[in-house]
Every structure is written in C-alpha cells, then in structure tokens.
Amino acid sequence: MKRVFQYAYKNDMAMITNDWLDVLNPEFRKPYYAKLFEFVKNEYNTTKVFPPADDIFTAFHLTPLSKVKVVIIGQDPYHGEGQAHGLCFSVKPPVEAPPSLVNIYKELQDDLGCKIPNHGYLVKWAQQGVLMLNTVLTVRAHMAGSHQGKGWEQFTDAAIKALNEQDRPIVFILWGRPAQIKKSMLNNPKHLVLEAPHPSPLSAYRGFFGSKPFSKTNNFLQAGGVEPIDWQIEDI
C-alpha cells in the first residue's frame, strides 16, 4: 500500500493513466491531500483497511472520463472482509451480494426484466461507461464511515465537478441522502439527475423500489443519441 500512495503523492500516478489524470493530478499537490496521504498510509500500515490498496482507484481506471455515461454515487466502501474492490455496490466473486445490491438487482429485474445473477461483480457496467464512485475511497475494516471527513470527499468532489462540466448527456444516480448532497454540484442542463432512497433494506421500500432508474437512464441516453447500457450481469 505504501508504494501506491507514494506514487500518487509524487505525481507518478501509477494507478491512473487515462484521461482522469488531467483532472485529478492537481489534487495530489494540494495541502488537504498531503494530510489525507499521511492518514491513509498510517491506516494501511497499522490497521486493516478496505479496499486493497491496488483497488483504491479502480472506478477511475475502468471508466475513463471521456467514456462516462452514467454516474452512481456511493458513500464509502464495504467494510466487510473481501467485499470492497473500488466500485461502489460491487463485490468480487465468490463474495455474496450484499443486501443493498440484492435490492438493486430486484429493481433491475422489475424495471427491465433482467435476470438476477449469481454474483455481485459489476465490472461489466463500469466497462460500458457507468462510473461507480464512492465519495470516500477507503474504510477501516468493520468500521463504516471511519475514513469520512479526512479529505477523500474533496478529492471525489473534483471528479464530480469535472463530470458536471462535460458537454454531453450524463445520468447521475443519487441513492440516499449522502449521495443527494452532491446534487447542488450538478447544474449542467445537459445531464439528468435521478434521486431515490438508498437500496439498503432499511430504506428500499420507501421509494427505491419502483423508481425505475435503469429504464429512465437508457431512455435519456438514447434520446441524446448515446448508446444505452446493457444492464444484464451474466451468471458465472
């Protein structure tokens, strides 16, 4: 881990080599990031932190800025063993799909008739232009929210600002209050903002189910001349 963050801080940016580099490179030179760097480095060196260090920037790596069609904003990574890998809501096999993702699949099935897959690995979405971005990119094991307020929010806000400035149709999907706080940053009339309660079991029945975000997203993209997302995740 230490090597990853040294690269990032020294502007080598081994983990981001696509067009996100132009947007995010200035952030690594700012004072807040120096503090964030030291904090996260110490956390990885002294405690268990998720995701694995090599996966911190996975969302940016898999979905270049120029290819983004949809943005799903999460809060912080899953804090359970083996779950987080750098894409919000996604888990690598053979990890069982967490409850929020189970509900996302239920809504996807109801909305578009997609079959519910036997795993929770959402890389197919990322590779089609769905940026699955947590606003905080690391978390201490079994301690939800433990890395909030340390600087990641400023870093990911820079990414959200860059997305808002893109001169093409993009859909922003904001599930739950923490994601919806970002709505004030999204003022570009070319984009569509979809809001709904979070898909967690605590709130999914308060309006997440039946919100039809996937069909609304594809209808908007197609109306703007953009190829829609194939939301079906195949079994493995």
Side-chain angles (χ1 to χ4, degrees):
M1 185 321 291
K2 189 174 181 180
R3 179 178 60 82
V4 172
F5 267 82
Q6 285 176 339
Y7 279 151
Y9 187 56
K10 290 180 179 178
N11 257 344
D12 191 348
M13 276 309 294
M15 298 303 290
I16 301 177
T17 58
N18 58 24
D19 57 2
W20 276 112
L21 183 59
D22 289 339
V23 171
L24 298 176
N25 196 30
E27 299 304 305
F28 293 98
R29 302 174 183 173
K30 295 180 179 180
Y32 86 86
Y33 190 82
K35 295 179 181 178
L36 172 64
F37 166 78
E38 292 299 331
F39 168 77
V40 176
K41 180 176 70 172
N42 183 67
E43 285 286 282
Y44 273 95
N45 287 341
T46 60
T47 68
K48 194 163 206 173
V49 177
F50 299 128
D54 287 345
D55 289 336
I56 291 172
F57 300 117
T58 293
F60 300 110
H61 175 68
L62 289 177
T63 314
L65 175 59
S66 61
K67 303 297 184 183
V68 175
K69 301 177 182 180
V70 184
V71 183
I72 299 177
I73 296 179
Q75 190 168 6
D76 57 356
Y78 292 128
H79 55 85
E81 191 71 39
Q83 292 181 312
H85 69 99
L87 302 180
C88 68
F89 296 107
S90 179
V91 292
K92 285 184 176 180
V95 177
E96 185 176 346
S100 292
L101 182 54
V102 169
N103 287 338
I104 290 170
Y105 282 159
K106 288 178 181 177
E107 177 61 20
L108 180 57
Q109 183 180 52
D110 181 68
D111 187 5
L112 292 178
C114 291
K115 178 183 180 294
I116 295 177
N118 61 1
H119 63 95
Y121 195 41
L122 304 180
V123 165
K124 178 183 176 180
W125 293 357
Q127 291 172 335
Q128 293 181 82
V130 182
L131 181 71
M132 287 172 279
L133 181 66
N134 282 312
T135 56
V136 176
L137 300 186
T138 56
V139 67
R140 187 182 291 191
H142 314 301
M143 293 182 63
S146 51
H147 287 186
Q148 292 177 14
K150 303 298 184 181
W152 279 129
E153 293 91 344
Q154 188 170 339
F155 182 81
T156 53
D157 277 357
I160 294 170
K161 180 181 178 182
L163 290 159
N164 180 62
E165 293 171 352
Q166 298 303 296
D167 189 28
R168 65 180 192 277
I170 296 176
V171 181
F172 292 84
I173 298 177
L174 310 180
W175 289 329
R177 189 174 62 82
Q180 290 161 8
I181 290 172
K182 305 301 180 182
K183 185 180 180 181
S184 62
M185 302 175 63
L186 306 175
N187 57 12
N188 187 332
K190 288 187 177 290
H191 303 327
L192 174 66
V193 178
L194 299 176
E195 298 180 82
H198 196 274
S200 75
L202 293 174
S203 56
Y205 287 94
R206 299 174 186 168
F208 172 77
F209 288 133
S211 61
K212 300 189 180 301
F214 307 102
S215 60
K216 290 177 181 177
T217 291
N218 279 356
N219 290 340
F220 177 79
L221 293 175
Q222 288 179 297
V226 178
E227 186 176 355
I229 304 298
D230 176 8
W231 294 102
Q232 179 67 67
I233 300 291
E234 288 79 17
D235 284 344
I236 58 172

